[in-house]
Amino acid sequence: VHSFPLLAALHGGACILYGLPVSKRHYHHFSYTPHVVYLALLGVFLVAHAIRIVVWLTLEYCAKWYLMGRRQEGRYNYDTSDYAQRWELYQILGKLRKVGRLNLMDFLSGTPYMSTFFRLLGGEIGEDCCLYPAGGDPYMPEPDLVKMGDRCVVDCASIVCHLNTRGNFELKKIVMEDNTTLRTRSRIQQGVYMERGSMLLEKSLVLTGEVVEADSVWQGSPAFAVPLPSSGGYGTFYSRDTGSRRV
């Protein structure tokens, strides 16, 4: 699959320059400049690459909705649910994204098409969002459990809606309100709620079920609110799971 554009360029370019069938070609009757050969190969390569992108998107979309459907919050333990098996099959098909060290999704990074892609997979993505401008590792694996407001920014960050503890597999929704930001290598776990204007700094981790309050900045692993220059004090956080609040 990954070598399809290159092979298509070689064979398609030869067909354009020397015609068909192959058995009746007379190469010594033709003489082309390197520029003409290059343009023929490049043209076929671009068309073949576009075809591969369409095939990938079609398989990705069909596999997601056929194998996974719309995910729902809850427990999907290994001994009581086939979710893990279906997830593994979906991951195998997802390898079509990769081309060597590259990922086809890297070509969508930071563009409006990235938001459209995750909307097709069931995500609630608001307007004017900038997703993964520097790539993703990983890209959000459960977009249909992510609700994102307008003008959100997600750098090379991790948004994971599942928690796997000794075979106890649980899914919970993640909510990011308007103007929230996840900076490089930050991570939010299942059940996190980021209120309007909040930000998570580099290499920080927000634990399961915590609420990042509006207009606050968090840092650390586990993350906590840092003092803001305008207020001179600390923000607060509230955990929906434990009901605790800390300043």
Side-chain angles (χ1 to χ4, degrees):
V1 176
H2 302 314
S3 60
F4 169 69
L6 181 58
L7 294 175
L10 293 174
H11 293 282
C15 292
I16 292 174
L17 297 175
Y18 301 107
L20 289 172
V22 177
S23 60
K24 294 184 179 181
R25 287 178 182 172
H26 299 284
Y27 298 100
H28 60 279
H29 290 168
F30 300 93
S31 178
Y32 296 105
T33 64
H35 297 86
V36 173
V37 175
Y38 175 78
L39 290 175
L41 294 176
L42 179 61
V44 177
F45 180 89
L46 292 177
V47 171
H49 182 67
I51 293 174
R52 179 175 63 172
I53 295 296
V54 171
V55 171
W56 158 60
L57 289 173
T58 303
L59 289 176
E60 181 93 24
Y61 179 84
C62 294
K64 194 278 175 188
W65 292 108
Y66 178 75
L67 293 175
M68 307 305 302
R70 181 172 292 278
R71 296 179 178 90
Q72 301 293 334
E73 294 183 278
R75 288 186 176 272
Y76 300 89
N77 295 343
Y78 284 34
D79 58 343
T80 59
S81 173
D82 64 349
Y83 179 90
Q85 287 78 14
R86 290 185 285 114
W87 173 247
E88 285 298 324
L89 289 174
Y90 180 57
Q91 290 288 87
I92 292 173
L93 291 174
K95 291 182 179 180
L96 291 173
R97 298 178 182 176
K98 297 183 179 180
V99 183
R101 295 184 179 181
L102 296 177
N103 191 315
L104 292 176
M105 293 182 65
D106 294 339
F107 297 99
L108 305 178
S109 294
T111 70
Y113 300 110
M114 182 66 82
S115 298
T116 302
F117 174 78
F118 285 120
R119 291 189 190 109
L120 288 174
L121 299 185
E124 297 182 56
I125 311 296
E127 299 297 326
D128 302 322
C129 291
C130 181
L131 304 181
Y132 304 106
D137 186 25
Y139 293 97
M140 64 176 88
E142 297 104 0
D144 42 353
L145 287 176
V146 176
K147 183 177 181 181
M148 194 176 298
D150 298 335
R151 297 172 298 281
C152 294
V153 178
V154 178
D155 203 347
C156 187
S158 178
I159 304 175
V160 178
C161 298
H162 68 264
L163 182 65
N164 181 20
T165 306
R166 297 181 180 180
N168 296 317
F169 195 93
E170 186 176 13
L171 295 175
K172 281 189 178 180
K173 193 169 187 176
I174 288 177
V175 178
M176 300 172 61
E177 293 186 350
D178 298 345
N179 303 312
T180 53
T181 303
L182 296 178
R183 300 182 68 167
T184 303
R185 300 299 175 187
S186 59
R187 177 185 176 94
I188 55 177
Q189 294 185 330
Q190 57 162 197
V192 167
Y193 194 104
M194 295 187 68
E195 295 183 348
R196 182 183 179 91
S198 57
M199 177 185 294
L200 184 61
L201 297 184
E202 290 82 356
K203 298 182 179 180
S204 299
L205 168 66
V206 178
L207 298 178
T208 299
E210 290 187 334
V211 176
V212 184
E213 294 193 339
D215 300 316
S216 63
V217 178
W218 285 38
Q219 185 179 37
S221 183
F224 58 91
V226 298
L228 301 177
S230 58
S231 62
Y234 289 84
T236 61
F237 76 76
Y238 175 79
S239 174
R240 290 184 294 171
D241 289 347
T242 63
S244 61
R245 183 181 292 272
R246 184 175 74 205
V247 178

